[in-house]
Amino acid sequence: RNFFAKRTKELKPAVQSAPGWKLFGKVPPRENLPKDSKIIQQEYEARTGRMYKPPPPSARRKNIEFEPLSTTALILEDRPANLPAKSVEEALRHRQEYDEMVAEAKKREIKEAHKRKKIMRERFKQEENIASAMVIWVNEILPNWEGMRATRRVRELWWQGLPPSVRGKVWSLAVGNELNITPELYEIFLSRAKERWKSFSETSSENDTEDAGTSVADREASLELIKLDISRTFPSLYIFQKGGPYHDLLHSVLGAYTCYRPDVGYVQGMSFIAAVLILNLEEADAFIAFANLLNKPCQLAFFRVDHSMMLKYFAAFEVFFEENLPKLFLHFKSYSLTPDIYLIDWIFTLYSKSLPLDLACRVWDVFCRDGEEFLFRTGLGILRLYEDILLQMDFIHIAQFLTKLPEDITSEKLFSCIAAIQMQNSNKKWAQVFASLMKDNKEGDKNHSPAPKS
């Protein structure tokens, strides 16, 4: 008993300091007591025989936030003890290189800071302008629409772009509702479209699906094209694709229109116009504006593919093209590059596919103010903006460039070019030039008409 008590006393300190370790023949872990920095320095000096000297205050690095993060910053470090020390010349050169890197980093940082400040200033200014313009539109212009819409002050404010909060309302008022479509009428055509979609999925019976003299195959193809086109409408936004919040809404508006205007049906490009309206208006209002917009002479000519009328629009465009941009006009002529190659896509989608969405909406703003003339003026503005580039290109590259315009196109640059376009030729405005072309065409038709039979 005494033996065990004695033995326990002997083992107690070991067990307390390293419990369980001796049982398995293992060495207990060392206690990692933190060493004082002076002790570490003394040990280092004793081991290497070198005295450590802290760098003088002037040699210490400053402006840490500007220091390059690259490993090239190591050029200021001393070499390890087992390597030859740097020569004075090399050390000075490295110091110079390092100082240059820091100076360059500072310059970049200052430049970026100025750029950010400028962007923020412009953004604040733009927001302030939008806010003040919105107050004017809401409190002064919209309540007195008919009396104020044509005034110089309103037209100038309109040119600067409509505030997003009133954009849809102004578009609706400017486009008008000559067709007298009501929300109830929209619901009727929407329910008809839904029935048709249901009947297509259940049966392909000709009696159930044929309407207004349009064949089953044509109408089915038209409705199938809607489905395909919706997924290709503003794909980067993801809101019109299947599962997106506006997919069904866009499908409804386009489907209802094909039932409302079976003589026009669905044509590629319509989905972009309907999508822009849906983003700015309620569903029924978007349909009303859409139907009235497509009923305008220019849109109707293009969407019904009226070749004769389309050629008149192209001819009128070329009159002002030659007037404003004679060098580029001759360059296009030398390659037989006709307006239809690039204008059709621009007019079909009202630039909503060709330009960034916010810029396209600003084009729409003034288009609602000035009508079809502004669509062609915008086209000339784009050509003016890129005139120097286009003059260096051949047919293929011009066609490719105008089909897919640069994404960095800005509102300020484009609208300054549009403003520089003069829509007057020999004292004739767009409407007069177009009317004279229509008159010439009618007279030509009379001259070439066959003689009456006796």
Side-chain angles (χ1 to χ4, degrees), residues 17-43:
S17 63
W21 284 91
K22 285 194 175 179
L23 294 173
F24 299 99
K26 291 182 180 180
V27 181
R30 291 181 184 178
E31 292 184 15
N32 293 324
L33 294 171
K35 288 185 182 180
D36 187 80
S37 58
K38 287 183 179 177
I39 297 169
I40 294 169
Q41 184 181 330
Q42 287 166 5
E43 287 177 358

mmCIF file of all heavy atoms in Angstrom, residues 17-43:
data_model
loop_
_atom_site.group_PDB
_atom_site.id
_atom_site.type_symbol
_atom_site.label_atom_id
_atom_site.label_comp_id
_atom_site.label_asym_id
_atom_site.label_seq_id
_atom_site.Cartn_x
_atom_site.Cartn_y
_atom_site.Cartn_z
ATOM 1 N N SER A 17 1.864 17.207 -15.981
ATOM 2 C CA SER A 17 2.446 17.991 -17.062
ATOM 3 C C SER A 17 2.164 17.406 -18.426
ATOM 4 O O SER A 17 2.046 18.112 -19.398
ATOM 5 C CB SER A 17 3.967 18.137 -16.870
ATOM 6 O OG SER A 17 4.563 16.854 -16.925
ATOM 7 N N ALA A 18 2.113 16.067 -18.512
ATOM 8 C CA ALA A 18 1.851 15.424 -19.805
ATOM 9 C C ALA A 18 0.995 14.196 -19.598
ATOM 10 O O ALA A 18 1.472 13.074 -19.630
ATOM 11 C CB ALA A 18 3.160 15.046 -20.478
ATOM 12 N N PRO A 19 -0.268 14.348 -19.328
ATOM 13 C CA PRO A 19 -1.147 13.197 -19.037
ATOM 14 C C PRO A 19 -1.260 12.250 -20.221
ATOM 15 O O PRO A 19 -1.527 12.675 -21.326
ATOM 16 C CB PRO A 19 -2.492 13.852 -18.711
ATOM 17 C CG PRO A 19 -2.444 15.191 -19.364
ATOM 18 C CD PRO A 19 -1.004 15.607 -19.350
ATOM 19 N N GLY A 20 -1.020 10.966 -19.948
ATOM 20 C CA GLY A 20 -1.224 9.945 -20.978
ATOM 21 C C GLY A 20 -0.073 9.759 -21.933
ATOM 22 O O GLY A 20 -0.030 8.769 -22.652
ATOM 23 N N TRP A 21 0.860 10.670 -22.011
ATOM 24 C CA TRP A 21 1.920 10.569 -23.024
ATOM 25 C C TRP A 21 2.895 9.431 -22.719
ATOM 26 O O TRP A 21 3.278 8.715 -23.639
ATOM 27 C CB TRP A 21 2.683 11.899 -23.125
ATOM 28 C CG TRP A 21 1.899 12.919 -23.856
ATOM 29 C CD1 TRP A 21 1.044 13.825 -23.334
ATOM 30 C CD2 TRP A 21 1.867 13.106 -25.266
ATOM 31 N NE1 TRP A 21 0.463 14.590 -24.301
ATOM 32 C CE2 TRP A 21 0.959 14.156 -25.521
ATOM 33 C CE3 TRP A 21 2.505 12.495 -26.338
ATOM 34 C CZ2 TRP A 21 0.684 14.624 -26.796
ATOM 35 C CZ3 TRP A 21 2.233 12.959 -27.613
ATOM 36 C CH2 TRP A 21 1.317 14.004 -27.841
ATOM 37 N N LYS A 22 3.287 9.260 -21.421
ATOM 38 C CA LYS A 22 4.280 8.226 -21.075
ATOM 39 C C LYS A 22 3.729 6.838 -21.235
ATOM 40 O O LYS A 22 4.464 5.883 -21.444
ATOM 41 C CB LYS A 22 4.772 8.450 -19.647
ATOM 42 C CG LYS A 22 5.746 9.621 -19.559
ATOM 43 C CD LYS A 22 6.478 9.644 -18.262
ATOM 44 C CE LYS A 22 7.530 10.753 -18.288
ATOM 45 N NZ LYS A 22 8.277 10.829 -17.013
ATOM 46 N N LEU A 23 2.410 6.711 -21.144
ATOM 47 C CA LEU A 23 1.769 5.394 -21.302
ATOM 48 C C LEU A 23 2.040 4.812 -22.683
ATOM 49 O O LEU A 23 2.090 3.609 -22.866
ATOM 50 C CB LEU A 23 0.266 5.496 -21.071
ATOM 51 C CG LEU A 23 -0.176 5.864 -19.638
ATOM 52 C CD1 LEU A 23 -1.667 6.095 -19.604
ATOM 53 C CD2 LEU A 23 0.210 4.760 -18.651
ATOM 54 N N PHE A 24 2.143 5.680 -23.695
ATOM 55 C CA PHE A 24 2.356 5.231 -25.072
ATOM 56 C C PHE A 24 3.783 5.470 -25.536
ATOM 57 O O PHE A 24 4.080 5.402 -26.712
ATOM 58 C CB PHE A 24 1.380 5.976 -26.011
ATOM 59 C CG PHE A 24 -0.050 5.701 -25.653
ATOM 60 C CD1 PHE A 24 -0.771 6.607 -24.898
ATOM 61 C CD2 PHE A 24 -0.653 4.514 -26.033
ATOM 62 C CE1 PHE A 24 -2.073 6.351 -24.557
ATOM 63 C CE2 PHE A 24 -1.962 4.257 -25.692
ATOM 64 C CZ PHE A 24 -2.686 5.170 -24.947
ATOM 65 N N GLY A 25 4.655 5.797 -24.637
ATOM 66 C CA GLY A 25 6.057 5.984 -24.997
ATOM 67 C C GLY A 25 6.307 7.217 -25.827
ATOM 68 O O GLY A 25 7.269 7.279 -26.583
ATOM 69 N N LYS A 26 5.413 8.213 -25.747
ATOM 70 C CA LYS A 26 5.557 9.425 -26.558
ATOM 71 C C LYS A 26 6.082 10.572 -25.711
ATOM 72 O O LYS A 26 5.872 10.622 -24.505
ATOM 73 C CB LYS A 26 4.210 9.832 -27.155
ATOM 74 C CG LYS A 26 3.728 8.855 -28.203
ATOM 75 C CD LYS A 26 2.421 9.326 -28.792
ATOM 76 C CE LYS A 26 1.946 8.329 -29.859
ATOM 77 N NZ LYS A 26 0.677 8.742 -30.447
ATOM 78 N N VAL A 27 6.768 11.492 -26.403
ATOM 79 C CA VAL A 27 7.293 12.681 -25.731
ATOM 80 C C VAL A 27 6.206 13.737 -25.688
ATOM 81 O O VAL A 27 5.548 13.991 -26.687
ATOM 82 C CB VAL A 27 8.525 13.236 -26.503
ATOM 83 C CG1 VAL A 27 9.079 14.473 -25.781
ATOM 84 C CG2 VAL A 27 9.589 12.166 -26.633
ATOM 85 N N PRO A 28 5.988 14.353 -24.544
ATOM 86 C CA PRO A 28 4.945 15.380 -24.483
ATOM 87 C C PRO A 28 5.308 16.582 -25.336
ATOM 88 O O PRO A 28 6.487 16.866 -25.529
ATOM 89 C CB PRO A 28 4.901 15.773 -22.998
ATOM 90 C CG PRO A 28 6.229 15.400 -22.455
ATOM 91 C CD PRO A 28 6.670 14.200 -23.232
ATOM 92 N N PRO A 29 4.301 17.267 -25.877
ATOM 93 C CA PRO A 29 4.594 18.426 -26.732
ATOM 94 C C PRO A 29 5.227 19.551 -25.932
ATOM 95 O O PRO A 29 4.924 19.734 -24.760
ATOM 96 C CB PRO A 29 3.212 18.843 -27.234
ATOM 97 C CG PRO A 29 2.270 18.342 -26.200
ATOM 98 C CD PRO A 29 2.873 17.089 -25.647
ATOM 99 N N ARG A 30 6.110 20.317 -26.646
ATOM 100 C CA ARG A 30 6.734 21.467 -25.988
ATOM 101 C C ARG A 30 5.705 22.570 -25.825
ATOM 102 O O ARG A 30 4.845 22.766 -26.666
ATOM 103 C CB ARG A 30 7.889 22.008 -26.850
ATOM 104 C CG ARG A 30 9.062 21.075 -26.899
ATOM 105 C CD ARG A 30 10.150 21.722 -27.749
ATOM 106 N NE ARG A 30 11.259 20.801 -27.901
ATOM 107 C CZ ARG A 30 12.343 21.056 -28.620
ATOM 108 N NH1 ARG A 30 12.434 22.207 -29.285
ATOM 109 N NH2 ARG A 30 13.318 20.190 -28.700
ATOM 110 N N GLU A 31 5.865 23.262 -24.749
ATOM 111 C CA GLU A 31 4.979 24.401 -24.544
ATOM 112 C C GLU A 31 5.494 25.564 -25.369
ATOM 113 O O GLU A 31 6.646 25.961 -25.224
ATOM 114 C CB GLU A 31 4.934 24.783 -23.071
ATOM 115 C CG GLU A 31 4.257 23.716 -22.215
ATOM 116 C CD GLU A 31 4.133 24.163 -20.771
ATOM 117 O OE1 GLU A 31 4.307 25.375 -20.532
ATOM 118 O OE2 GLU A 31 3.879 23.318 -19.917
ATOM 119 N N ASN A 32 4.703 26.058 -26.275
ATOM 120 C CA ASN A 32 5.116 27.135 -27.176
ATOM 121 C C ASN A 32 4.949 28.503 -26.502
ATOM 122 O O ASN A 32 3.987 29.211 -26.730
ATOM 123 C CB ASN A 32 4.291 27.113 -28.471
ATOM 124 C CG ASN A 32 4.602 25.869 -29.273
ATOM 125 O OD1 ASN A 32 5.733 25.429 -29.282
ATOM 126 N ND2 ASN A 32 3.569 25.317 -29.885
ATOM 127 N N LEU A 33 5.880 28.804 -25.672
ATOM 128 C CA LEU A 33 5.841 30.107 -25.016
ATOM 129 C C LEU A 33 6.337 31.163 -25.986
ATOM 130 O O LEU A 33 7.381 30.992 -26.615
ATOM 131 C CB LEU A 33 6.731 30.101 -23.762
ATOM 132 C CG LEU A 33 6.252 29.164 -22.635
ATOM 133 C CD1 LEU A 33 7.330 29.085 -21.569
ATOM 134 C CD2 LEU A 33 4.958 29.680 -22.033
ATOM 135 N N PRO A 34 5.642 32.267 -26.132
ATOM 136 C CA PRO A 34 6.088 33.296 -27.068
ATOM 137 C C PRO A 34 7.387 33.937 -26.604
ATOM 138 O O PRO A 34 7.535 34.300 -25.432
ATOM 139 C CB PRO A 34 4.938 34.318 -27.061
ATOM 140 C CG PRO A 34 4.230 34.081 -25.773
ATOM 141 C CD PRO A 34 4.413 32.645 -25.434
ATOM 142 N N LYS A 35 8.360 34.035 -27.531
ATOM 143 C CA LYS A 35 9.655 34.632 -27.207
ATOM 144 C C LYS A 35 9.583 36.138 -27.396
ATOM 145 O O LYS A 35 8.924 36.625 -28.302
ATOM 146 C CB LYS A 35 10.741 34.060 -28.117
ATOM 147 C CG LYS A 35 11.108 32.622 -27.799
ATOM 148 C CD LYS A 35 12.267 32.191 -28.670
ATOM 149 C CE LYS A 35 12.620 30.737 -28.406
ATOM 150 N NZ LYS A 35 13.747 30.298 -29.252
ATOM 151 N N ASP A 36 10.329 36.825 -26.581
ATOM 152 C CA ASP A 36 10.441 38.271 -26.715
ATOM 153 C C ASP A 36 11.262 38.590 -27.950
ATOM 154 O O ASP A 36 12.200 37.870 -28.297
ATOM 155 C CB ASP A 36 11.102 38.844 -25.457
ATOM 156 C CG ASP A 36 11.089 40.354 -25.471
ATOM 157 O OD1 ASP A 36 10.043 40.933 -25.138
ATOM 158 O OD2 ASP A 36 12.132 40.922 -25.828
ATOM 159 N N SER A 37 10.943 39.691 -28.620
ATOM 160 C CA SER A 37 11.653 40.052 -29.853
ATOM 161 C C SER A 37 13.134 40.300 -29.609
ATOM 162 O O SER A 37 13.988 40.015 -30.454
ATOM 163 C CB SER A 37 11.015 41.295 -30.480
ATOM 164 O OG SER A 37 11.053 42.359 -29.562
ATOM 165 N N LYS A 38 13.480 40.803 -28.415
ATOM 166 C CA LYS A 38 14.895 41.046 -28.100
ATOM 167 C C LYS A 38 15.668 39.738 -27.984
ATOM 168 O O LYS A 38 16.815 39.623 -28.421
ATOM 169 C CB LYS A 38 15.009 41.834 -26.796
ATOM 170 C CG LYS A 38 14.601 43.296 -26.928
ATOM 171 C CD LYS A 38 14.798 44.028 -25.627
ATOM 172 C CE LYS A 38 14.392 45.500 -25.788
ATOM 173 N NZ LYS A 38 14.511 46.238 -24.508
ATOM 174 N N ILE A 39 15.035 38.708 -27.408
ATOM 175 C CA ILE A 39 15.669 37.381 -27.272
ATOM 176 C C ILE A 39 15.926 36.804 -28.651
ATOM 177 O O ILE A 39 16.997 36.267 -28.929
ATOM 178 C CB ILE A 39 14.785 36.433 -26.424
ATOM 179 C CG1 ILE A 39 14.652 36.980 -25.005
ATOM 180 C CG2 ILE A 39 15.339 35.022 -26.436
ATOM 181 C CD1 ILE A 39 13.610 36.273 -24.163
ATOM 182 N N ILE A 40 14.907 36.923 -29.559
ATOM 183 C CA ILE A 40 15.057 36.415 -30.932
ATOM 184 C C ILE A 40 16.225 37.107 -31.611
ATOM 185 O O ILE A 40 17.053 36.483 -32.290
ATOM 186 C CB ILE A 40 13.756 36.628 -31.733
ATOM 187 C CG1 ILE A 40 12.625 35.774 -31.147
ATOM 188 C CG2 ILE A 40 13.962 36.276 -33.205
ATOM 189 C CD1 ILE A 40 11.260 36.109 -31.679
ATOM 190 N N GLN A 41 16.328 38.428 -31.412
ATOM 191 C CA GLN A 41 17.415 39.202 -32.031
ATOM 192 C C GLN A 41 18.767 38.742 -31.499
ATOM 193 O O GLN A 41 19.727 38.559 -32.255
ATOM 194 C CB GLN A 41 17.208 40.684 -31.759
ATOM 195 C CG GLN A 41 18.240 41.575 -32.457
ATOM 196 C CD GLN A 41 18.013 43.041 -32.154
ATOM 197 O OE1 GLN A 41 16.887 43.438 -31.943
ATOM 198 N NE2 GLN A 41 19.075 43.796 -32.123
ATOM 199 N N GLN A 42 18.875 38.522 -30.156
ATOM 200 C CA GLN A 42 20.132 38.082 -29.544
ATOM 201 C C GLN A 42 20.538 36.708 -30.074
ATOM 202 O O GLN A 42 21.725 36.461 -30.367
ATOM 203 C CB GLN A 42 19.984 38.050 -28.015
ATOM 204 C CG GLN A 42 19.953 39.445 -27.394
ATOM 205 C CD GLN A 42 19.483 39.427 -25.951
ATOM 206 O OE1 GLN A 42 19.260 38.357 -25.374
ATOM 207 N NE2 GLN A 42 19.331 40.616 -25.354
ATOM 208 N N GLU A 43 19.558 35.793 -30.184
ATOM 209 C CA GLU A 43 19.842 34.449 -30.714
ATOM 210 C C GLU A 43 20.349 34.542 -32.151
ATOM 211 O O GLU A 43 21.280 33.847 -32.546
ATOM 212 C CB GLU A 43 18.578 33.583 -30.660
ATOM 213 C CG GLU A 43 18.214 33.137 -29.261
ATOM 214 C CD GLU A 43 16.927 32.335 -29.235
ATOM 215 O OE1 GLU A 43 16.323 32.172 -30.320
ATOM 216 O OE2 GLU A 43 16.531 31.870 -28.145
#
